[in-house]
Amino acid sequence: MKNRVIETVIFKLKAEASDDAFLKAAQETAEKISNFQGFIARRLSQGADGTWIEHIEWANMDDAKMASDLLMKDADMQPFLEPIDLDTVKLTHTNVTLSVG
């Protein structure tokens, strides 16, 4: 587990975007993302203020960065990416130092 990485993306949707349509698009990306090398788990949550947080756990930093680069260019990801307000996006990759559960 020492090399595991959490990719965290914090963002809001565009004003005209629908939460339900966005969630449907997120679900449609699940299989593609889960098939990437090093994929471990994915969680998507939403705060009361409309802020979304996506956590994807990867086996290591190389897998995380490779998948991130490829997914941003993948046409199948566009229905998921299109509703996101790019001005609000904050993406980080951090090393897992403790995991319980």
Side-chain angles (χ1 to χ4, degrees), residues 5-62:
V5 169
I6 301 292
E7 177 178 297
T8 304
V9 187
I10 301 171
F11 59 91
K12 289 192 175 187
L13 300 182
K14 295 174 183 172
E16 68 275 10
S18 153
D19 287 348
D20 289 339
F22 176 70
L23 279 173
K24 183 176 185 269
Q27 290 169 341
E28 290 171 354
T29 66
E31 184 176 349
K32 178 175 282 290
I33 291 173
S34 67
N35 285 324
F36 270 88
Q37 178 177 314
F39 174 84
I40 296 170
R42 179 187 189 198
R43 290 181 179 81
L44 182 63
S45 58
Q46 184 184 31
D49 68 350
T51 298
W52 290 86
I53 302 173
E54 181 175 46
H55 290 108
I56 304 178
E57 186 171 353
W58 300 100
N60 58 61
M61 188 67 76
D62 289 340

